[in-house]
Amino acid sequence: MRIRILVSQPPGAVLHGRPWPTEGTEIDDLPTTVAAHLVASGVAEEVTEAPPVRRRKSRKGDGDV
């Protein structure tokens, strides 16, 4: 599972025996359970080949009264 770190940690923090990566770093060599836990915790996001889905915000007043 490939993940991207979303949250920085204080100096000295470790991730699976290594220094905590900087925000935005992509990692693909963690055990799946560790990576899934980071994603579920909101600390990381899964990186997929597909571009992220962008949702359109509806404009206030469009069609509904």
Side-chain angles (χ1 to χ4, degrees), residues 1-36:
M1 173 183 254
R2 185 174 192 84
I3 61 170
R4 179 179 303 112
I5 298 297
L6 300 175
V7 177
S8 60
Q9 296 292 323
V14 294
L15 174 61
H16 209 255
R18 297 176 280 187
W20 189 269
T22 58
E23 193 173 325
T25 301
E26 292 185 8
I27 304 168
D28 64 356
D29 62 348
L30 290 175
T32 301
T33 54
V34 174

Side-chain angles (χ1 to χ4, degrees), residues 22-60:
T22 58
E23 193 173 325
T25 301
E26 292 185 8
I27 304 168
D28 64 356
D29 62 348
L30 290 175
T32 301
T33 54
V34 174
H37 175 75
L38 293 171
V39 170
S41 300
V43 174
E45 65 183 357
E46 185 173 4
V47 176
T48 60
E49 296 302 317
V53 176
R54 296 191 181 246
R55 297 179 186 222
R56 293 176 48 187
K57 294 182 180 179
S58 62
R59 288 188 280 174
K60 194 172 187 175

